[in-house]
Amino acid sequence: MNIRLAIACLVTALGLTPSWPVSAADNADRVRQAIGSAADFDKARAAGKKAAFFCVNCHGEDGNSTYDYIPNLAGQNAVYLLNQIEKFADGRRQDEFMSGLIKVLKPEDRFNMAIYYSGQSVRPAVGNANPLASRGQQYYDRTCKACHGAQGYGNEKIARLAGQQPAYLKKALEAYRAGTKLRNDPIMGSIARRLKDDDIAALAAYIPTMK
Ligand code: HEC
Ligand code: HEC
């Protein structure tokens, strides 16, 4: 057992949170391992559902958020979720509320909740009533599809977008564009800096309707 792992076991046993960043590769390995075993997966999902009792106030009973400025977690890739949780924990991503909350969650709970939410289904916005949506679709197909996928399902490194909440999408794109300590990413930064306000409005009208 290497020293880092030994300390990790010790702090987990003591209910403390490790202070070093957990690597994205470790997260991916662990999630893939759980997905590979039905018993491990079910155990993590059940524990995650229990641990998420507090999250439902904002992210909704089944991970479909109750507010349009709070992201859905349902259907999001488990590795992506876990990586974002670690970003809140070590300050690479910051939010008034989430940063404090995540720091008090045990590593095991973080993992279990990511597994739980990834298995929930998303309820996309109904209809295409917003007239901006078709412009948003054109922009999406031209620029975003290459990474986020034709259906917006994402993958381990790239967020699922399909069905995401409109005000949250706007906030996220504006944050990447501004590139402050709240949220920054080199890839999304370079994409978002090319977006004008009305491109963002169009994308935030279209993406929530993607199924
Ligand atoms: C008081 C409301 C509130 C509660 C309760 C809450 N969250 Fe959040 N959560 C938010 C907001 C707001 C954001 C978006 C922050 C931002 O803009 O960066 C967020 C973002 C997230 C994200 C990032 C999602 C993405 O698409 O990148 C994850 C993961 C997350 N929360 C997990 C949790 C978990 C797990 C819990 C329960 C332990 C929880 N949240 C409880 C408000 C909340
Ligand atoms: C070259 C690949 C690439 C392209 C093209 C791309 N993205 Fe992304 N996107 C990413 C990656 C990687 C992330 C995760 C970044 C992080 O960890 O914050 C991301 C994250 C996001 C998020 C955050 C989602 C969440 O749940 O918080 C939004 C919103 C987003 N992208 C929208 C878009 C839109 C809209 C476009 C097209 C205008 C686009 N992306 C094009 C790679 C890409």
Side-chain angles (χ1 to χ4, degrees), residues 48 51-76 80-81 84-85 88 93 95 97-99 101-102 105 113-114 116-118 120-123 163-165 168 171 183:
F53 75 94
F54 184 66
C55 325
V56 304
N57 293 313
C58 295
H59 292 286
E61 197 63 58
D62 53 358
N64 281 276
S65 166
T66 1
Y67 305 97
D68 74 351
Y69 56 90
I70 297 183
N72 296 335
L73 303 179
Q76 191 58 270
Y80 171 81
L81 283 179
Q84 296 301 314
I85 287 174
F88 282 126
R93 180 173 175 183
D95 173 73
F97 184 80
M98 285 305 304
S99 303
L101 176 65
I102 290 294
L105 294 178
M113 284 188 281
Y116 167 66
Y117 280 121
S118 69
Q120 301 300 303
S121 354
V122 186
R123 284 194 303 275
Q164 192 48 281
Q165 299 289 341
Y168 173 72
K171 183 182 165 201
R183 191 171 198 187

Side-chain angles (χ1 to χ4, degrees), residues 80 84 87 143-144 147-148 159 168 176 183 187-188 191:
Y80 171 81
Q84 296 301 314
K87 284 187 181 186
T143 311
C144 324
C147 291
H148 288 274
Y168 173 72
Y176 285 131
R183 191 171 198 187
I187 298 173
M188 276 310 298
I191 304 270

Side-chain angles (χ1 to χ4, degrees), residues 49-198:
K49 183 172 182 182
K50 239 184 181 168
F53 75 94
F54 184 66
C55 325
V56 304
N57 293 313
C58 295
H59 292 286
E61 197 63 58
D62 53 358
N64 281 276
S65 166
T66 1
Y67 305 97
D68 74 351
Y69 56 90
I70 297 183
N72 296 335
L73 303 179
Q76 191 58 270
N77 189 288
V79 179
Y80 171 81
L81 283 179
L82 205 47
N83 288 341
Q84 296 301 314
I85 287 174
E86 304 302 349
K87 284 187 181 186
F88 282 126
D90 63 31
R92 279 174 293 158
R93 180 173 175 183
Q94 295 177 23
D95 173 73
E96 232 181 342
F97 184 80
M98 285 305 304
S99 303
L101 176 65
I102 290 294
K103 287 193 184 88
V104 300
L105 294 178
K106 291 182 194 154
E108 207 47 34
D109 288 338
R110 297 176 186 175
F111 176 80
N112 293 337
M113 284 188 281
I115 295 284
Y116 167 66
Y117 280 121
S118 69
Q120 301 300 303
S121 354
V122 186
R123 284 194 303 275
V126 185
N128 231 1
N130 191 326
L132 283 173
S134 66
R135 220 193 107 203
Q137 178 165 20
Q138 281 168 16
Y139 203 109
Y140 183 92
D141 287 347
R142 209 168 52 231
T143 311
C144 324
K145 187 168 103 173
C147 291
H148 288 274
Q151 292 181 287
Y153 291 171
N155 59 36
E156 290 181 351
K157 293 213 169 74
I158 300 177
R160 177 196 173 106
L161 296 180
Q164 192 48 281
Q165 299 289 341
Y168 173 72
L169 287 167
K170 178 170 180 281
K171 183 182 165 201
L173 291 169
E174 287 172 353
Y176 285 131
R177 185 170 66 179
T180 66
K181 62 181 171 24
L182 294 182
R183 191 171 198 187
N184 55 71
D185 176 76
I187 298 173
M188 276 310 298
S190 72
I191 304 270
R193 279 193 292 279
R194 295 200 296 264
L195 295 172
K196 299 194 185 61
D197 287 347
D198 47 351

